[in-house]
Amino acid sequence: MTSSDNVHAHEIHKFGSQAARWWDPDGEFKTLHAVNPLRLQYIQRHASLSGQKVVDVGCGGGILSEALARQGADTLGIDLAEELLDIADLHGLESGVQVGYRKISVEALAAEQPGCFDLVTCMEMLEHVPNPESVVRACATLVKPGGVVFFSTLNKTLKAYLLAIVAAEYVLRMIPKGTHEYDTFIPPAQLGTYARHAGLELQGMAGIGYNPLTRGFFLCDDVSINYLAVFRKPQ
Ligand code: SAH
């Protein structure tokens, strides 16, 4: 890692140091496990996965990567946290779900394999890098013409601050303290601008809602907190 790379070393360390508990459905990353079926549902609304070549950018321990591969996608997961990639590999051995994992930045993979993927996913990662626009551009380079790119991140609203940081980290303990910084949150219009500049066309957005009574997550139209967005690269 050099200082010119689009990475915060402290973010990689923060996530990497929690690798051992990544797959505990009741542990620190239980929220990623809880929202994963919704992410998969949203992806399948917009694209088929079987036989498709997919790259999961900032894959962590592989929660989404494995779900994509289970649907028949030929999946590559990339991240810069080595401990997480080790855990992802180990989990794949246990589950029998085949995913290839590589420690490489999205910008480097884009230079190596431009236009090689039918589908690109990049979930909960943009808010952890110094230059999210560079990640969006690299994802756009990786996808084939006609292919789709999915992002999820946090909106920059007071509601997102109160719910995604104050409530989720400190009151309800849904995610580890210090996971998010408000300044790094990205409004949907900003993400849309990055994507447009990268030659991608917006196909849709959806919010992820939370019901405190059932403690369940659901897809909704309200993008004011955590949201998913899908873009297509024109043919
Ligand atoms: N996408 C996964 C993990 C989200 S946590 C999921 O939603 O299930 C954020 C992930 O982004 C961590 O795995 C962290 O290591 C990774 N990350 C942070 N900065 C990165 C960078 N510059 N390049 C690649 N991965 C990065």
Side-chain angles (χ1 to χ4, degrees), residues 6 53-59 76 78 104-126 129 131-152 191 194-201 229-234:
N6 183 20
K53 208 167 164 217
V54 176
V55 58
D56 185 22
V57 174
C59 63
L76 169 69
I78 64 166
I104 184 170
S105 72
V106 63
E107 288 90 352
L109 188 71
E112 191 186 293
Q113 299 187 38
C116 285
F117 294 88
D118 299 296
L119 201 147
V120 179
T121 57
C122 179
M123 305 291 187
E124 312 303 322
M125 185 262 202
L126 292 176
V129 300
N131 182 352
E133 183 165 16
S134 163
V135 173
V136 173
R137 211 181 306 124
C139 290
T141 303
L142 285 167
V143 76
K144 288 178 187 166
V148 278
V149 184
F150 293 84
F151 295 102
S152 72
L191 178 59
Y194 292 158
R196 210 168 41 252
H197 288 165
L200 297 174
E201 290 172 356
V230 53
F231 300 90
R232 184 172 297 278
K233 184 159 167 176

Side-chain angles (χ1 to χ4, degrees), residues 81-193:
E82 203 154 347
E83 298 95 322
L84 283 173
L85 295 173
D86 289 345
I87 287 292
D89 268 331
L90 275 178
H91 195 271
L93 288 177
E94 270 173 35
S95 66
V97 179
Q98 285 200 356
V99 175
Y101 292 105
R102 275 183 73 186
K103 184 179 164 189
I104 184 170
S105 72
V106 63
E107 288 90 352
L109 188 71
E112 191 186 293
Q113 299 187 38
C116 285
F117 294 88
D118 299 296
L119 201 147
V120 179
T121 57
C122 179
M123 305 291 187
E124 312 303 322
M125 185 262 202
L126 292 176
E127 68 274 21
H128 298 289
V129 300
N131 182 352
E133 183 165 16
S134 163
V135 173
V136 173
R137 211 181 306 124
C139 290
T141 303
L142 285 167
V143 76
K144 288 178 187 166
V148 278
V149 184
F150 293 84
F151 295 102
S152 72
T153 192
L154 287 154
N155 197 347
K156 206 171 201 167
T157 59
L158 178 62
K159 210 164 146 189
Y161 173 71
L162 292 174
L163 292 174
I165 298 184
V166 180
E169 293 186 16
Y170 293 88
V171 184
L172 302 174
R173 310 259 162 97
M174 289 160 84
I175 56 175
K177 280 182 196 159
T179 298
H180 289 122
E181 277 174 45
Y182 179 73
D183 282 352
T184 65
F185 291 3
I186 302 171
Q190 182 79 68
L191 178 59
T193 303

Side-chain angles (χ1 to χ4, degrees), residues 6-7 12 15 32 39 58 60 79-81 84 123-125 129:
N6 183 20
V7 58
I12 300 303
F15 286 108
L32 288 182
R39 312 194 290 196
D79 204 287
L80 291 177
L84 283 173
M123 305 291 187
E124 312 303 322
M125 185 262 202
V129 300

